[in-house]
Amino acid sequence: MFRIESDRARFREIVRGRVRRDLKKYLSSGELIGRAGNRVVSIPLPQIELPRFRFGQNPSGKGGAGEGGGEGQGNGEGSAGEGLGSAGEEPGRHILEVEVELEELAEMLGEELELPNIEPRGSKEIEGDGGRYSGIRRHGPDSLRHFRRSYRNALRRTIASGLWDPEAPRVVPERDDFRFRMRKTSPKPDASAVVFHMMDVSGSMGREQKEIVRIKAFWIDTWLRSQYKNLEVVYIVHDAAARTVDQETFFHLRESGGTKISSAFELCLSMIQGKYRPEDWNIYPFHYSDGDNWSARDTELCISMLRDEILPRVNQFCYGQVKSAHGSGQFKKDLDAALGEEEALVTAGINDREGIPDAIRAFLGRGR
Amino acid sequence: MRLKSELPPELKYQAVVTEAAAREAGLDFFDVVFEVLDASDVNGVAAYGGFPVRYPSWRFGMEYERLEKGREWGLSKIYELVINNDPTYAYLVRSNSLLEQKLVMAHVYGHADFFRHNVWFAPTNRKMLDTMGEHAVRIRRYIDLLGQETVEEFLDIVLSLDTLVDPYLPLREHSHPAETRSVHTSASERARRALDALSLSTVPEEPPPEPSLGSRADLPTYDVLGFLSEFAPLDGWQRDILEIVRAEAYYFAPQRMTKIMNEGWASFWHSRLLTGGILDDSEILDFADCHSGATSCPPGQLNPYKIGLELYRYAEATGEDLFQLRRVHNDVSLTHKLVDESFAERVLRPILAPAGQGQEEEPDWRELKAATLRNISWGGLPQIELQAVDLEGEGELTLVHHHDGRDLKVGAAQATLLQIERIWKRPVRLRTTLDERDSWILVRDGAGSVVDIQGSDEAGGASDENLRNTA
């Protein structure tokens, strides 16, 4: 193998080390979110270059035309007369961006926060990729011909038909003698999960509160995605009424008005009863708010809905209370008081960005 | 990857035709060996600086990743690579069109002639392909014995400093061997000893010798790597690695000094040879397209292909002996010699001071020339000189940045000085100009600081004291 591949592997290893080291920082900043694609996240790593003496940009540079020169020096040392490059070959001083697979990022997250793997309780059986050539059939391509079986059949037929001559033990196979290997697929359970992100978007949830929710949702999704092959995410926003929205809207919507948390719970529940039935899905509802609710009556309603309808159907229900200037924080207290015993309920208070890792650990640390 | 693969017949034929045309035109070179590689293998070789084998380093992997990404996204493409070696090795990209291969071959013969005859390449190691392989073996052995992390850490420090060499030193030594600073024992001999010491003894290393210089240090010098190799308190294997990096740095240094001349020469000849009979009529348009791509020069970028090509054409028009020029000059001296008002106005102005940029004052042609020279002088790098060692005191090293109007990037400079300190194990300082003020960048005990010494008599006095020059 070409040796450069091992240098590349080493480079990637170093990069992973850096990312791991800085994970705490990423955990409480939104930096990575905009950089995540479907499968990979690209992370800027300015500090990986070797330090060297180089020119900075000083405005006081003498000689008017000087700045025009730019850094057209190309590859410097490395280029042994390389070139005829088309335009754009100049490496310039770009910040290096490295791509890390989301799965790998999740793995780092798991190690950093010591998250246990989740035991899927899903029962939805679909045909997995798993399959082996363990079957036998009468037709098939030559490449799959099972020699021993074919020969045995031919031998058996030869003997049975009395053509067998021990002096001249010749066996001529006929078409019917041939046997071929066959791929047998074995159904493998495939766990599916759905995440409900519900957020209070009433007037008291400010920009910073939403940013915290956004960061948390990103990491939670990243983790769950690594645990379940098939993860669906539903975004629900509510003030006095609830509706499902797309991701973009979820994080940027700014509503005002009252707060009726039960509206979101109702919508979530109806989806669980409809599309995301607990027999087929691992269900993770998350709700984020600043703890204010419209009335104590509505909170009552929420609690009874959780206890009687939602909690029995879901893997875990998480409530994250983001501290805001106006929020009372009452809802968490009410939930804890009424449902503190319930195993499937986790509540966490988040004061600021620093609190995000702890909240993530609280939510995902139970391995449910 | 193996060298010495057989060229496909049509390329082989092309190589023979092109070589004959090149010799006919007066070019002269070592044998040229062409290798055909896939695009990603060419990127691998390019990441290794043109060589099939280098010592292990993540830095090459990073460069490879960058090149591969550029290729996958269609941003950049390497057409060819040439190694200064005897025989001269050149790589062709398998996926290139026949026309592109013809162009590359002619281009390669230009480089090959330049490598052989330009005086700055005279002292370079012409068996570098083998030497790189030996270096790789040595460093791999250190890795086996000491572990990857240990070796890598030291290698990274030294690689940080691999531009701190004196590009004029090899030619000086080459032409006046008597003056050569005695290179102690030969490099290979010392390598053997270093390896022996490692593999034989588990006994504790002797304490590193004090940096005792006596009067032997030849200061000031630009050859910071050479100085460190000789006087820094290093283990045998560290010294050997430093020597390896230094040898490779000196091998590459002339390429930095002659980028314009080298690319210009190759472009001049590929253009002349191809349009002088190698191409048939149907290929001319494609050739022109390809050629103009390589020599395109957007405002603000001094494309060496373009500048070099224009310089040689200008020289030819004014009756200069081209072969003589390519023999004796480097980028700076050639630019200095050839650029006059007419050249500066025609070629440099559109690049450096394009019309319609709303500059208050149009620069004079002399300013354009000066800006160009500043850009290419010292291979485009800051000029850093090791000036003094404080013999009586702590053994502090003093370096000087010869400021040419462009400030250093302070953070990077400090980080680099820290690397020197880690090798020298004593304080290091660098004198430079920051925001038009005379300044020190100091490094001591793993921490850096910046001191403005202008207007501060105390600091100024102290610095003069410390600037004891042992030369």
Side-chain angles (χ1 to χ4, degrees):
Chain A
M1 195 195 65
F2 202 31
R3 287 208 167 110
I4 194 79
E5 285 299 341
S6 58
D7 290 318
R8 183 192 225 179
R10 177 67 185 149
F11 164 64
R12 290 190 169 161
E13 200 179 306
I14 289 173
V15 164
R16 281 197 295 274
R18 293 286 168 105
V19 174
R20 204 171 290 245
R21 205 186 61 194
D22 293 345
L23 194 68
K24 269 265 159 61
K25 188 185 91 196
Y26 294 127
L27 273 177
S28 45
S29 82
E31 204 178 324
L32 296 190
I33 298 175
R35 307 181 158 276
N38 261 342
R39 215 170 44 79
V40 294
V41 55
S42 85
I43 300 177
L45 282 181
Q47 69 278 46
I48 203 164
E49 294 271 11
L50 292 175
R52 286 174 192 283
F53 290 116
R54 65 167 75 107
F55 293 118
Q57 252 133 23
N58 59 318
S60 63
K62 293 168 210 149
E67 71 248 42
E71 296 201 11
Q73 292 304 327
N75 264 353
E77 170 250 353
S79 48
E82 140 196 354
L84 276 178
S86 50
E89 168 56 24
E90 304 298 330
R93 293 262 165 266
H94 301 299
I95 287 178
L96 183 77
E97 293 211 349
V98 295
E99 289 188 345
V100 179
E101 306 229 336
L102 279 174
E103 194 149 324
E104 208 173 331
L105 196 64
E107 194 183 297
M108 292 178 198
L109 177 75
E111 279 175 28
E112 175 74 27
L113 299 183
E114 296 169 355
L115 301 178
N117 281 327
I118 292 174
E119 293 273 333
R121 48 144 230 185
S123 52
K124 186 178 183 184
E125 296 236 329
I126 65 160
E127 237 163 58
D129 313 304
R132 303 179 56 189
Y133 288 98
S134 52
I136 289 290
R137 59 178 172 174
R138 287 171 164 268
H139 305 283
D142 276 355
S143 58
L144 292 180
R145 190 172 56 210
H146 196 306
F147 180 80
R148 264 173 39 162
R149 291 277 190 111
S150 305
Y151 179 80
R152 207 163 62 198
N153 284 341
L155 183 64
R156 198 182 286 148
R157 182 183 46 75
T158 311
I159 294 172
S161 60
L163 295 172
W164 175 255
D165 173 9
E167 296 301 309
R170 224 176 325 177
V171 174
V172 182
E174 291 180 358
R175 178 188 270 269
D176 277 353
D177 300 330
F178 286 113
R179 293 294 179 274
F180 302 86
R181 293 171 206 275
M182 185 179 66
R183 191 180 163 85
K184 262 194 176 168
T185 50
S186 50
K188 249 174 68 178
D190 183 46
S192 306
V194 58
V195 174
F196 293 94
H197 287 299
M198 293 174 272
M199 178 164 57
D200 172 13
V201 289
S202 64
S204 54
M205 287 286 284
R207 183 188 295 257
E208 176 65 14
Q209 280 76 28
K210 283 192 192 135
E211 184 63 19
I212 288 175
V213 171
R214 195 164 104 102
I215 295 166
K216 247 178 55 176
F218 169 78
W219 288 106
I220 286 167
D221 291 355
T222 302
W223 175 253
L224 290 177
R225 211 175 288 281
S226 77
Q227 300 285 317
Y228 294 104
K229 242 190 197 159
N230 175 21
L231 183 79
E232 290 197 15
V233 182
V234 178
Y235 296 97
I236 296 174
V237 295
H238 73 92
D239 42 24
R243 60 195 165 102
T244 58
V245 292
D246 61 26
Q247 184 182 23
E248 178 69 17
T249 318
F250 182 77
F251 292 116
H252 296 102
L253 190 70
R254 184 164 177 93
E255 305 274 89
S256 55
T259 309
K260 222 168 122 189
I261 296 177
S262 63
S263 65
F265 287 10
E266 245 165 61
L267 180 57
C268 174
L269 181 60
S270 77
M271 291 183 83
I272 291 174
Q273 286 166 334
K275 186 174 175 195
Y276 300 106
R277 303 166 60 78
E279 306 85 81
D280 299 335
W281 295 83
N282 292 281
I283 302 170
Y284 295 90
F286 289 82
H287 180 239
Y288 314 93
S289 85
D290 58 0
D292 275 347
N293 202 4
W294 177 56
S295 67
R297 259 234 320 270
D298 191 64
T299 301
E300 286 289 304
L301 181 59
C302 290
I303 288 172
S304 67
M305 214 176 349
L306 272 178
R307 177 170 38 218
D308 302 334
E309 304 284 347
I310 298 181
L311 289 183
R313 290 187 165 88
V314 302
N315 291 44
Q316 183 168 289
F317 185 99
C318 303
Y319 172 64
Q321 184 161 287
V322 188
K323 190 174 178 182
S324 81
H326 315 291
S328 63
Q330 189 59 39
F331 193 64
K332 179 172 183 295
K333 286 182 206 155
D334 293 343
L335 282 187
D336 287 342
L339 302 170
E341 308 288 294
E342 296 279 350
E343 262 193 20
L345 177 76
V346 183
T347 64
I350 308 148
N351 289 336
D352 50 24
R353 289 172 181 232
E354 303 299 311
I356 293 175
D358 286 336
I360 294 174
R361 191 182 290 132
F363 286 170
L364 303 176
R366 298 194 185 174
R368 290 178 64 102
Chain B
M1 204 205 62
R2 243 189 6 254
L3 293 177
K4 307 251 185 305
S5 58
E6 200 55 22
L7 274 187
E10 78 273 16
L11 290 182
K12 204 168 187 175
Y13 168 75
Q14 234 11 271
V16 171
V17 169
T18 313
E19 181 178 343
R23 290 207 189 275
E24 176 89 4
L27 299 182
D28 172 51
F29 30 79
F30 302 120
D31 286 343
V32 176
V33 180
F34 286 104
E35 297 285 335
V36 182
L37 294 180
D38 290 333
S40 66
D41 286 346
V42 167
N43 280 346
V45 172
Y48 277 152
F51 290 85
V53 179
R54 294 290 290 275
Y55 52 81
S57 165
W58 59 270
R59 210 182 41 129
F60 300 132
M62 180 168 80
E63 178 65 8
Y64 179 60
E65 183 108 353
R66 192 183 68 74
L67 290 170
E68 277 289 273
K69 218 158 262 180
R71 185 179 66 81
E72 284 160 15
W73 295 345
L75 295 175
S76 63
K77 174 175 165 182
I78 291 175
Y79 277 84
E80 49 92 11
L81 280 164
V82 195
I83 312 182
N84 165 32
N85 193 71
D86 176 13
T88 303
Y89 279 93
Y91 304 95
L92 301 170
V93 187
R94 196 185 309 281
S95 55
N96 279 352
S97 70
L98 183 59
L99 171 84
E100 286 169 327
Q101 307 289 27
K102 289 181 182 177
L103 189 150
V104 166
M105 284 182 174
H107 194 84
V108 162
Y109 284 111
H111 279 310
D113 170 82
F114 192 86
F115 285 145
R116 180 158 189 180
H117 289 288
N118 180 271
V119 68
W120 299 99
F121 284 90
T124 55
N125 179 353
R126 307 292 194 179
K127 294 292 174 199
M128 201 56 183
L129 200 72
D130 299 339
T131 305
M132 286 291 190
E134 288 162 20
H135 289 172
V137 168
R138 263 148 73 186
I139 292 188
R140 271 175 218 285
R141 280 195 62 188
Y142 292 131
I143 289 175
D144 290 346
L145 292 164
L146 300 162
Q148 179 167 24
E149 310 254 309
T150 312
V151 173
E152 188 176 66
E153 189 189 341
F154 184 77
L155 190 56
D156 283 352
I157 296 176
V158 180
L159 286 173
S160 243
L161 312 177
D162 71 356
T163 51
L164 300 183
V165 292
D166 179 358
Y168 299 101
L169 177 72
L171 190 56
R172 254 195 336 263
E173 292 187 344
H174 188 70
S175 36
H176 307 284
E179 288 176 22
T180 306
R181 208 182 55 188
S182 74
V183 189
H184 1 276
T185 42
S186 78
S188 57
E189 168 65 14
R190 294 195 325 168
R192 195 186 55 72
R193 275 193 226 156
L195 280 170
D196 285 351
L198 270 180
S199 36
L200 293 178
S201 71
T202 45
V203 289
E205 296 271 345
E206 317 158 25
E210 289 296 298
S212 63
L213 301 171
S215 53
R216 290 184 301 139
D218 194 7
L219 296 179
T221 178
Y222 288 103
D223 186 18
V224 179
L225 282 187
F227 175 88
L228 291 174
S229 154
E230 201 163 350
F231 300 113
L234 297 170
D235 293 342
W237 67 272
Q238 292 177 319
R239 205 176 300 280
D240 190 35
I241 287 183
L242 204 152
E243 279 298 335
I244 286 174
V245 170
R246 177 168 175 259
E248 297 186 0
Y250 273 110
Y251 168 81
F252 283 119
Q255 295 181 14
R256 258 206 306 273
M257 297 169 74
T258 58
K259 198 136 177 93
I260 290 175
M261 286 192 70
N262 203 345
E263 293 302 351
W265 187 250
S267 300
F268 180 88
W269 284 108
H270 81 228
S271 169
R272 176 120 334 158
L273 294 177
L274 289 184
T275 56
I278 291 184
L279 297 184
D280 64 40
D281 299 353
S282 69
E283 291 172 309
I284 290 295
L285 268 185
D286 286 338
F287 161 73
D289 185 36
C290 198
H291 174 79
S292 62
T295 54
S296 78
C297 197
Q301 275 185 30
L302 289 170
N303 179 348
Y305 294 79
K306 166 75 171 175
I307 307 287
L309 180 63
E310 292 288 351
L311 281 173
Y312 286 116
R313 288 193 173 153
Y314 191 63
E316 190 180 41
T318 51
E320 296 275 351
D321 177 353
L322 292 188
F323 287 89
Q324 179 68 13
L325 291 179
R326 77 92 163 77
R327 179 186 295 277
V328 302
H329 283 285
N330 60 35
D331 285 351
V332 170
S333 63
L334 188 75
T335 306
H336 185 67
K337 176 179 167 63
L338 292 180
V339 174
D340 56 12
E341 181 165 7
S342 126
F343 186 91
E345 290 298 338
R346 186 172 58 82
V347 179
L348 297 183
R349 186 174 298 283
I351 302 169
L352 296 178
Q357 294 242 315
Q359 283 160 341
E360 317 90 56
E361 216 177 309
E362 285 290 307
D364 181 35
W365 74 267
R366 285 183 192 82
E367 290 171 44
L368 295 173
K369 179 173 179 176
T372 307
L373 284 170
R374 197 162 44 237
N375 239 290
I376 58 179
S377 68
W378 209 253
L381 300 166
Q383 203 174 343
I384 309 276
E385 189 172 30
L386 172 58
Q387 199 145 65
V389 188
D390 174 20
L391 284 179
E392 272 114 69
E394 301 177 90
E396 184 179 47
L397 277 193
T398 302
L399 296 108
V400 173
H401 166 223
H402 296 287
H403 195 269
D404 61 357
R406 291 173 292 176
D407 284 5
L408 289 179
K409 206 170 198 168
V410 180
Q414 226 171 64
T416 316
L417 288 172
L418 281 168
Q419 305 281 59
I420 299 179
E421 194 216 10
R422 287 169 73 186
I423 293 185
W424 184 242
K425 301 187 177 81
R426 274 140 215 280
V428 181
R429 58 167 63 203
L430 172 77
R431 186 172 198 145
T432 182
T433 305
L434 296 171
D435 284 334
E436 298 186 345
R437 299 183 70 83
D438 215 357
S439 306
W440 285 116
I441 301 179
L442 306 168
V443 159
R444 169 181 295 273
D445 299 331
S449 58
V450 179
V451 180
D452 182 350
I453 44 179
Q454 209 161 45
S456 156
D457 286 340
E458 200 186 330
S463 68
D464 283 344
E465 184 91 339
N466 286 336
L467 272 176
R468 170 184 298 279
N469 194 330
T470 56

